[in-house]
């Protein structure tokens, strides 16, 4: 089993709800896609090519401030459960850790991790530099990523075209190679049925949305990942400013939706959030989807000040620690769906009991 | 408002879960139908006829041991909410207190109440003597009723036919005038889908079943009233023995059904009962039907030893005290459906909190 206690914060410092707007925004993620010059892209590479990339990156990384003390995780040598766990902790992409097409992942797939900043090696691109931070904190996340990118770029020759910018395996990343996303909870807009209007307007201004676990993942529990679609033709600063501006607008819409709900149907909302709390506090079996939906209700109740004695940090942790690989790791054994549902309910119950007892 | 604190136990001593089999059987009710000779049956009587009946009964009752210190409640002079409350407390029949056809009830409608024994006057029959006792206690209830019936019969000439026995307004009561019923909770048989088979077999042996509130009332929360159908052609002792025998069989079926559930699906049952507890403990609005169904789950959990810290007495009281008239009386005002649902949830929540804190 992988020992994430070696990583300073277990890789989940971004869950601590310390950042701005963290009553609505769980986390901010910024990543840059980079490739090394004169080496084939990962999807067209041999094992030896990728081992070469990893070696080159390691040699450079150890001389940087950002990754000088990094923990190296050889994704390609991990059992599936550990790779799944890293993905559930949002530390690596599904593509790198639990790819649909090739499993186990390609030789050379690796992660370098230090202080909440990660460098994925031999993902879809040679390098994916990423930072996860708490709340709505694009500047902070960008600063971390940019600084590491600068350090790495001084030693590594990145594939770069004077007209197109950074070259990437998939054309949607060409240019800045920047993807910034915000994980936000929007139950108010869902309850007032305004969510589709809001999501459509996001698409019109060049943003895109996904569920809790990235590309292709369904929306559950009213958690949305909002991110930039465009990576080309604008500066990094412009892309981040635009995303920040739109997310602030969405935060405003959500807050107004909540005011409307509290004004027009306070009894219904109160009943809804407390029922969610009651079920999470006492159920003995919870599917992933039900747990997410009930957590959404409790989070709304906490955000509205209706439910005391539950911290956002605890709710954030539940989102991650009730995923299958986390539960199976906790149980110390592979688990059936039924066992996972029982383990999930136990974890949630204990968490809420601890919170109530604080 | 009616003041039931004047009655020794508020008329709800039968809720205290002290009787035999009270984990399954809430209460036993035995009643005798009697009419006074040479007076028209209630349905064909004038106001003066019924006042005459009431006067005659009162004169005699005050000289008996069973009703010598009885509290007289003039049903015909009570506001509807108070009559409804008496009915919810199972102290009077719907026919007497909140009749569909004539409302307010007929002049002369009254209840004499002393130590858990009641005498309804000018109901469908001139007299209905009834006793309510805790658990499966036909002997106890019958003893109370019989003793009062004997006392009254020594002073009052009952309409009696040498061949048919006691004469009653409705032919289904002719003979002994005896109806004995058992309020029993059968969630195990409902969950194992054996309930219909059991209910059909009851009908075949001359018993009948109803919901929580007597004739015509729907079954909610898996609470069934089982009673004798036949009143004619058998002695009281035979009727009671037969009912007791069958109810003991039903108790056995229910216990076996519970064993099967615990053996085959312990996780499902545990989850079900705790979810019911969680919702009752935290919901802010509960309809009557939902409350009854959730109470059924919690009662099952308590009976199976899965849920500690909840007493059967508390659960029994909730059945009665979350009825509309009780909630409206508690609120001190007429209440809308929505207000009742909120008051019901509040009462249930407080009860379970108190139980958990004991």
């Amino acid at each position: 089993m992988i020992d994430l206690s070696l990583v300073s914060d277990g890789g989940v410092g971004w869950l601590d709800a310390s950042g701005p707007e963290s009553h609505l925004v769980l986390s901010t993620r910024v990543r840059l896609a980079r490739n090394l010059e004169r080496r084939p892209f990962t999807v067209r590479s041999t094992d030896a090519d990728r081992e070469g990339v990893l070696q080159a990156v390691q040699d450079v990384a150890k001389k940087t401030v950002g990754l000088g003390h990094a923990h190296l995780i050889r994704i390609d040598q991990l059992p599936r459960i550990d790779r799944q766990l890293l993905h559930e902790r949002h530390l690596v992409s599904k593509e790198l850790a639990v790819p649909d097409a090739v499993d186990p992942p390609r030789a050379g797939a690796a992660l370098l991790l230090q202080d909440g900043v990660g460098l994925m090696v031999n993902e879809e691109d040679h390098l994916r530099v990423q930072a996860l931070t708490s709340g709505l904190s694009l500047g902070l996340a960008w600063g971390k990523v940019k600084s590491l990118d600068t350090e790495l770029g001084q030693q590594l020759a990145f594939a770069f075209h004077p007209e197109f910018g950074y070259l990437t395996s998939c054309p949607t990343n060409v240019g800045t190679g920047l993807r910034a996303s915000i994980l936000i909870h929007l139950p108010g807009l869902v309850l007032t049925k305004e969510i589709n209007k809001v999501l459509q307007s996001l698409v019109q201004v060049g943003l895109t949305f996904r569920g809790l676990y990235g590309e292709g993942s369904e929306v559950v529990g009213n958690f949305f990942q909002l991110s930039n679609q465009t990576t080309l033709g604008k500066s990094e600063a412009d892309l981040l400013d635009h995303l920040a501006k739109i997310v602030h607008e969405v935060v405003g819409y959500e807050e107004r939706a909540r005011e409307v709900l509290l004004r027009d149907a306070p009894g219904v909302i109160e009943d809804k959030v407390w029922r969610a709390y009651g079920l999470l506090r006492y159920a003995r079996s919870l599917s992933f989807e039900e747990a997410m939906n009930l957590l959404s209700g409790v989070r709304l109740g906490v955000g509205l000040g209706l439910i005391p004695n539950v911290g956002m940090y605890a709710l954030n942790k539940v989102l991650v620690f009730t995923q299958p690989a986390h539960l199976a790791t906790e149980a110390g054994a592979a688990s059936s769906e039924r066992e996972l549902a029982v383990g999930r309910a136990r974890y949630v119950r204990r968490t809420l009991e601890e919170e109530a007892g604080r």
Side-chain angles (χ1 to χ4, degrees), chain A residues 175-212:
Chain A
T176 57
L178 174 79
R179 184 87 67 212
S181 46
I182 300 294
L183 183 53
I184 189 169
H185 184 227
L186 302 174
L189 291 171
V190 171
L191 286 170
T192 57
K193 302 195 199 306
E194 294 170 288
I195 190 69
N196 285 335
K197 203 175 59 187
V198 170
L199 294 176
Q200 275 164 24
S201 71
L202 289 179
V203 173
Q204 281 166 9
V205 296
L207 302 190
T208 185
F209 65 93
R210 304 177 179 117
L212 192 55

Side-chain angles (χ1 to χ4, degrees), chain A residues 1-4 79-86 88-89 321 323-335 340:
Chain A
M1 291 279 176
I2 192 168
D3 183 4
L4 282 171
R80 188 182 165 86
I81 186 83
D82 286 349
R83 290 184 273 121
Q84 178 75 37
L85 186 129
L86 289 171
E88 290 174 0
R89 218 164 268 209
F321 284 78
Q323 305 295 321
H326 276 80
L327 293 171
T329 301
E330 168 88 10
S335 303
L340 287 176

Side-chain angles (χ1 to χ4, degrees), chain A residues 24-25 27-30 136 138 179-186 189 195 198-203 206-212 214 219 222-229 243-251 253-254:
Chain A
L24 296 184
V25 179
S27 61
T28 296
R29 191 176 79 98
V30 173
L136 180 48
L138 283 161
R179 184 87 67 212
S181 46
I182 300 294
L183 183 53
I184 189 169
H185 184 227
L186 302 174
L189 291 171
I195 190 69
V198 170
L199 294 176
Q200 275 164 24
S201 71
L202 289 179
V203 173
L207 302 190
T208 185
F209 65 93
R210 304 177 179 117
L212 192 55
V219 172
N222 306 318
F223 294 103
F224 297 83
Q225 281 199 53
L226 312 184
S227 61
N228 63 307
Q229 180 76 290
L243 179 62
K245 176 171 159 281
I246 303 297
V247 171
H248 276 293
E249 281 176 19
V250 173
V251 165
Y253 297 148
E254 172 67 17

Side-chain angles (χ1 to χ4, degrees), chain A residues 1 5 9-10 21 35 39 70 93 102 136 144 162 166 194 211 237 246 279 292 310 329:
Chain A
M1 291 279 176
S5 66
D9 58 358
E21 310 287 0
N35 288 278
R39 294 180 191 255
S93 63
V102 270
L136 180 48
K144 291 177 181 230
Y166 291 101
E194 294 170 288
I246 303 297
L279 287 173
M292 292 301 120
V310 184
T329 301

